[in-house]
Amino acid sequence: MNNAIRLSVRTLVEFLLQHGSIDNRYAGADRAGEGSRIHRKLQKEAGAGYAAEVFLSRTVERDGFTYIIEGRADGIFEEPGGFVIDEIKTVTVPMEHIRADYEPLHWAQAMCYACFYARQNTLSAIGVQLTYYQADTDEIQRFRRTYSLDELEAFFDGLLEKYRPWAELTRDWAVLRTQSLKALAFPFPAYRPGQRCLAAGVYRAIASGSRLFCQAPTGIGKTLSTLFPALKAMGEGKSGRIFYLTAKTITRQAAQEALSILRPGGLRLKAVTLTAKEKICPMPKTDCNPVACPYAAGYYDKISEVLSGLLRGEDFFTREAIEQAAAAHEVCPFELALDLSLWCDLIICDYNYLFDPVVYLRRFFDGGPQDYVFLIDEAHNLLDRARDMYTASLKKSEVLELKKAIGKSDAPLARALNRLNTAMAALRKQCGDEAVFTSKEPLEDFNRALARFSAYCDAWLEDHRDGAAHDALLPLYFEVRFYLKITELYDSHYITCVYRKGSEVQPKLLCLDPSAFLDNAMKRGKAAVLFSATLSPAGYFIDVLGGGEEARYAALPSPFPRENLCLLSACHISTKYTEREKSLNGLCALLYEMVRARTGNYMVYFPSYQYMRQAYELFHEQYPQVETLLQTADMDEAAREEFLSRFQDAPETTLLGFCVLGGIYSEGINLQGNRLIGVAVVGVGLPQVNREQEILRDYYEESRGHGFAFTYQYPGMNKVLQAAGRLIRSERDRGVVLLVDSRFSRWDYRALFPVHWSGARRIYSTEELRKSLEEFWRQPHFD
């Protein structure tokens, strides 16, 4: 459809009619998390004659554009006076504050639905009703107005006329973007081995609207190999907006760099990188209201002009570009990035913007499935992140500390905190003599106590918008709200844990299996590509990441010559927890043999800080001539950078870095060339055994029949592969990977080795290691 502009009713109304300032001080606003539940409740109570969630759409030809405006009316019903459109809003302000003109945007949204319905059914007039539901008191307030069809048509026509300059901007940009994407060529003379295969697989997944899981070893160029075909598919009209989702800042930067590589080839694409509010906020304290923040004051009055200027002048909006623009126009950089995203073809952002149950991008994902494409980088990280996103916990000590801090300054609030503290103390009885109590059922009595506390806080915060007590209460309030949100999602994928230690009590809603939530999130788009250098076994990752039965899987070979990697497995040393103490001497001897074979930089990865420190101290004592570095748990950003900076190219002396498996140096770092020529991985990476891991094991044993593999073996081997992957980063890189653990000789672990590890050689002594390394480093290409 030529010059088609598709918008939701809510997006159209909010973009055109919202004015004033950003004001996130506690105030009555729609509770997105509760809205759906409350809507269903009111819709059901309305009776059989009430049509709920009615999809309405209006297609209008105007000024050379085809506008497709659509959305869902909360309810439509008929009474003796005629038909009525019902718009339901959940609020938390006291009901006495709600008046007919409480929020003009609510009327505007309902009037659009009324216009569509009246026109479709040839009604000369129709009623519009706003239903406000007070979430904490269950009070309901309704306001009713009647509009003629002519009045509604005039209102809707006025919206379209006001939107016309933005439609023209969209049209002109779409032509330019599509032309550039159709002409876009791969930016290098040839594809790397495996790169064309990956790109073709991504293209086919997008064209067919499916999900692809792809294990693509380091060096293939995963970022470019997924972005390029996605952009080509967009240029051919096979997809809409692209979301490039990552777990870390470094992978977001890789996506930006890929765009920079494509840009000299004529790429025209609007792209924005979203940064967390706490990181991008220019104020000393993130306090989003016009009193505390000049960037919030008058934001909605200024933003149209700011957006127009930026969109007409720039294509790529990095964090730095957004910060500069926000400072120049004195607008909130976080909200500016979000508003820019509505006009961008590619959005680079963290996983949580799609998957998190609270902070996902409602402006894109609340309107039903769209033709979005999700490119999910380093997908092996998604499982743990998702479990965290859907797990909630509270601590009694935080409640008690806040109660003491409030003291006598606010006796009613102190009493409310005391009631919550008492409710948490009562959970101690659930534990009995045990340190933890578990149940597959939620704690209904405790949840009701939380709901009462939340309701009290709603009213208190509304009446006390400033002051130390307000600021002190907010963090606990939001934790309680999130906990209650998770109670709404609680099902067979959860277990309730109550931990007791001394006077501390910690109730926790532990998400064991987030696969259904991930699946539902990915259904918001047309296609999803989940890729990583370590994404095997295939069935495991497709299962735990919600891929579904129709998901496709591809495992690509390494693009580098196998002779560049010397892969050795020291099978004579056990690093099981009970045998670590006696493994230290033999382990240190192996490490010394590895580093003495050739001058250069090496890293060794351990399963725990304790084991690492023990080995470090013994190695330093026995081989003081070798320069060493030690990762510590308290490293800040500067210390981390200093650690990596020591790994210089072509060093004159040997350096051995002691690191933790699964830590900051075991994935995401890129030490190419001679900056790293050897890696040792100690142990098979099994997660630490604790109560929650064992609960998880029981869950997967019961539901999948593979409790140990799903909980320990597969996640552990993933860490091993990630750490080993720090070594060979380009076609010029060569070096040694030493796996230290007798379990690496077992078939069930060797079956998890990637294809390019098929030449792994087993050794059983330091002498065998010495000979193997001498042979490897003697090869001609090391001269």
Side-chain angles (χ1 to χ4, degrees):
M1 188 178 293
N2 292 331
N3 297 329
I5 306 293
R6 184 183 295 271
L7 293 168
S8 71
V9 168
R10 183 167 185 168
T11 297
L12 177 68
V13 166
E14 289 184 349
F15 180 72
L16 294 176
L17 302 182
Q18 197 160 15
H19 294 286
S21 304
I22 299 170
D23 194 347
N24 288 354
R25 289 175 295 185
Y26 189 82
D30 280 10
R31 270 188 184 156
E34 290 186 81
S36 297
R37 179 182 62 81
I38 291 172
H39 283 200
R40 290 192 297 270
K41 175 179 181 292
L42 295 182
Q43 289 160 348
K44 184 177 180 180
E45 291 175 353
Y50 187 97
E53 299 299 324
V54 180
F55 178 80
L56 295 170
S57 178
R58 177 81 181 275
T59 301
V60 178
E61 303 284 345
R62 184 74 49 81
D63 301 322
F65 295 99
T66 301
Y67 293 95
I68 307 166
I69 313 299
E70 57 194 15
R72 292 187 181 275
D74 293 329
I76 302 176
F77 61 93
E78 186 178 9
E79 56 184 23
F83 285 91
V84 178
I85 299 292
D86 190 21
E87 183 71 13
I88 302 171
K89 298 297 180 184
T90 304
V91 296
T92 56
V93 295
M95 194 57 82
E96 58 265 25
H97 293 179
I98 303 295
R99 298 287 184 267
D101 290 320
Y102 168 71
E103 178 50 80
L105 293 179
H106 296 166
W107 285 111
Q109 192 173 343
M111 288 170 68
C112 287
Y113 294 136
C115 177
F116 300 172
Y117 190 80
R119 183 177 178 83
Q120 290 172 11
N121 294 276
T122 61
L123 304 176
S124 60
I126 189 171
V128 173
Q129 176 173 284
L130 295 187
T131 298
Y132 288 102
Y133 181 94
Q134 217 292 338
D136 305 306
T137 65
D138 295 329
E139 296 174 88
I140 297 174
Q141 176 76 279
R142 293 184 171 93
F143 301 98
R144 180 82 64 85
R145 293 174 180 172
T146 301
Y147 294 95
S148 69
L149 178 58
D150 289 342
E151 289 177 307
L152 294 172
E153 290 278 18
F155 172 75
F156 184 66
D157 288 347
L159 291 179
L160 295 186
E161 178 59 28
K162 195 170 184 179
Y163 192 81
R164 183 164 59 86
W166 298 95
E168 292 171 348
L169 179 67
T170 301
R171 175 198 60 197
D172 296 345
W173 173 252
V175 171
L176 185 62
R177 177 203 64 209
T178 301
Q179 288 175 344
S180 83
L181 292 179
K182 286 182 175 180
L184 188 65
F186 192 69
F188 299 109
Y191 287 91
R192 291 178 179 175
Q195 197 169 33
R196 181 186 290 276
C197 181
L198 174 55
V202 171
Y203 180 89
R204 287 193 296 267
I206 294 171
S208 63
S210 57
R211 293 180 191 169
L212 173 66
F213 286 70
C214 186
Q215 178 169 278
T218 299
I220 281 180
K222 295 185 293 295
T223 304
L224 194 59
S225 303
T226 52
L227 265 179
F228 178 72
L231 295 176
K232 295 299 288 185
M234 176 186 283
E236 295 171 8
K238 291 180 168 60
S239 73
R241 184 176 279 113
I242 301 168
F243 292 82
Y244 194 98
L245 299 142
T246 75
K248 297 181 176 68
T249 300
I250 192 168
T251 40
R252 289 193 281 279
Q253 293 170 347
Q256 293 174 178
E257 291 168 3
L259 291 178
S260 298
I261 293 172
L262 292 167
R263 196 172 188 177
L267 174 66
R268 297 300 306 275
L269 190 82
K270 299 293 184 190
V272 63
T273 299
L274 301 184
T275 306
K277 181 187 293 186
E278 294 73 20
K279 292 183 178 180
I280 202 171
C281 178
M283 300 296 289
K285 177 184 177 183
T286 302
D287 197 355
C288 305
N289 68 78
V291 175
C293 178
Y295 300 93
Y299 176 86
Y300 297 112
D301 299 325
K302 295 182 279 187
I303 191 58
S304 289
E305 184 177 349
V306 175
L307 285 175
S308 179
L310 289 174
L311 292 170
R312 295 179 191 280
E314 301 290 339
D315 284 1
F316 295 176
F317 303 102
T318 62
R319 171 179 175 173
E320 295 73 22
I322 290 168
E323 287 175 330
Q324 291 172 9
H329 299 282
E330 205 169 41
V331 294
C332 172
F334 177 71
E335 292 294 335
L336 173 60
L338 290 179
D339 285 333
L340 278 169
S341 70
L342 290 169
W343 305 93
C344 285
D345 312 298
L346 171 67
I347 298 172
I348 303 169
C349 58
D350 188 86
Y351 292 158
N352 61 2
Y353 287 103
L354 172 62
F355 296 110
D356 191 281
V358 174
V359 304
Y360 73 91
L361 292 171
R362 288 184 171 81
R363 62 186 65 204
F364 294 112
F365 303 135
D366 269 356
Q370 301 291 331
D371 58 351
Y372 303 140
V373 170
F374 304 129
L375 303 180
I376 303 171
D377 197 358
E378 300 292 356
H380 66 276
N381 287 309
L382 181 56
L383 177 59
D384 287 341
R385 281 287 304 275
R387 283 201 183 107
D388 288 342
M389 289 177 194
Y390 287 91
T391 292
S393 66
L394 297 168
K395 289 185 177 181
K396 179 179 176 294
S397 58
E398 294 178 356
V399 178
L400 189 59
E401 288 170 10
L402 181 57
K403 174 179 174 290
K404 292 177 180 178
I406 296 297
K408 297 180 180 179
S409 63
D410 192 302
L413 177 57
R415 286 194 293 271
L417 288 165
N418 188 59
R419 288 192 293 270
L420 178 57
N421 184 64
T422 300
M424 297 188 79
L427 294 178
R428 190 180 290 115
K429 296 179 181 178
Q430 302 269 15
C431 299
D433 296 330
E434 301 295 325
V436 60
F437 163 81
T438 61
S439 171
K440 292 184 178 181
E441 302 299 325
L443 305 169
E444 298 292 356
D445 291 343
F446 177 67
N447 292 345
R448 281 191 287 270
L450 277 184
R452 289 191 293 269
F453 175 75
S454 176
Y456 177 83
C457 291
D458 289 337
W460 190 93
L461 288 165
E462 178 63 27
D463 294 334
H464 304 79
R465 298 199 176 199
D466 299 298
H470 171 277
D471 294 344
L473 177 60
L474 272 182
L476 176 62
Y477 170 74
F478 289 134
E479 287 183 16
V480 169
R481 292 300 317 155
F482 180 69
Y483 191 100
L484 290 172
K485 166 65 180 176
I486 297 301
T487 64
E488 297 173 13
L489 303 176
Y490 195 99
D491 59 11
S492 60
H493 299 100
Y494 278 88
I495 193 166
T496 301
C497 300
V498 180
Y499 294 93
R500 178 183 64 83
K501 185 177 181 180
S503 60
E504 180 68 284
V505 178
Q506 182 183 9
K508 188 173 188 177
L509 305 179
L510 179 63
C511 180
L512 301 171
D513 181 2
S515 58
F517 301 127
L518 299 177
D519 177 35
N520 288 333
M522 287 187 283
K523 286 177 180 175
R524 294 165 177 159
K526 175 185 179 181
V529 180
L530 300 91
F531 55 100
S532 169
T534 56
L535 213 59
S536 64
Y540 165 73
F541 276 105
I542 291 174
D543 184 341
V544 299
L545 297 182
E549 295 181 358
E550 302 301 319
R552 303 173 183 177
Y553 181 84
L556 304 178
S558 172
F560 307 131
R562 291 191 181 183
E563 60 267 23
N564 287 12
L565 173 65
C566 176
L567 180 62
L568 303 171
S569 176
C571 302
H572 61 294
I573 292 181
S574 172
T575 69
K576 291 181 179 179
Y577 185 78
T578 56
E579 299 182 63
R580 287 179 183 174
E581 190 76 31
K582 65 179 182 181
S583 73
L584 289 172
N585 278 304
L587 171 60
C588 289
L590 283 173
L591 294 178
Y592 179 66
E593 205 61 55
M594 178 179 71
V595 302
R596 73 186 288 267
R598 188 177 182 89
T599 299
N601 298 322
Y602 298 81
M603 281 189 177
V604 53
Y605 296 94
F606 290 83
S608 71
Y609 277 99
Q610 180 181 6
Y611 193 17
M612 176 186 67
R613 282 192 297 269
Q614 290 175 328
Y616 173 82
E617 290 169 1
L618 182 60
F619 186 90
H620 187 68
E621 176 186 325
Q622 292 182 341
Y623 310 104
Q625 69 273 29
V626 180
E627 185 180 2
T628 54
L629 284 176
L630 179 67
Q631 177 185 350
T632 59
D634 59 351
M635 281 180 159
D636 59 17
E637 193 66 32
R640 294 174 186 177
E641 291 299 323
E642 170 62 21
F643 187 97
L644 287 178
S645 71
R646 297 284 298 279
F647 290 80
Q648 294 294 318
D649 194 35
E652 296 181 358
T653 59
T654 289
L655 174 67
L656 176 60
F658 285 70
C659 304
V660 173
L661 195 61
I664 54 175
Y665 298 121
S666 66
E667 61 177 280
I669 63 170
N670 192 17
L671 300 174
Q672 289 192 15
N674 288 326
R675 293 188 67 190
L676 189 67
I677 66 168
V679 163
V681 180
V682 180
V684 292
L686 300 185
Q688 183 179 6
V689 177
N690 56 40
R691 183 58 183 267
E692 289 186 6
Q693 286 293 122
E694 288 298 284
I695 290 171
L696 193 60
R697 176 177 179 165
D698 291 342
Y699 170 82
Y700 280 124
E701 187 64 37
E702 182 179 340
S703 63
R704 310 295 201 277
H706 300 288
F708 177 77
F710 271 49
T711 308
Y712 292 101
Q713 188 180 30
Y714 297 161
M717 197 60 194
N718 196 270
K719 293 178 184 177
V720 171
L721 294 171
Q722 279 291 323
R726 297 315 94 206
L727 184 64
I728 305 295
R729 310 294 297 179
S730 76
E731 61 275 4
R732 298 181 305 275
D733 293 1
R734 297 175 177 87
V736 58
V737 169
L738 175 63
L739 307 176
V740 184
D741 194 287
S742 57
R743 285 168 288 188
F744 285 121
S745 65
R746 286 171 23 185
W747 69 267
D748 55 330
Y749 279 96
R750 297 185 77 83
L752 300 177
F753 283 14
V755 174
H756 61 280
W757 277 21
S758 59
R761 180 176 175 181
R762 303 180 196 183
I763 60 169
Y764 294 91
S765 67
T766 54
E767 181 62 27
E768 284 189 65
L769 175 60
R770 180 184 305 115
K771 292 178 179 179
S772 296
L773 292 176
E774 287 175 353
E775 179 182 341
F776 176 69
W777 292 121
R778 274 202 309 265
Q779 295 178 52
H781 52 242
F782 296 118
D783 294 339

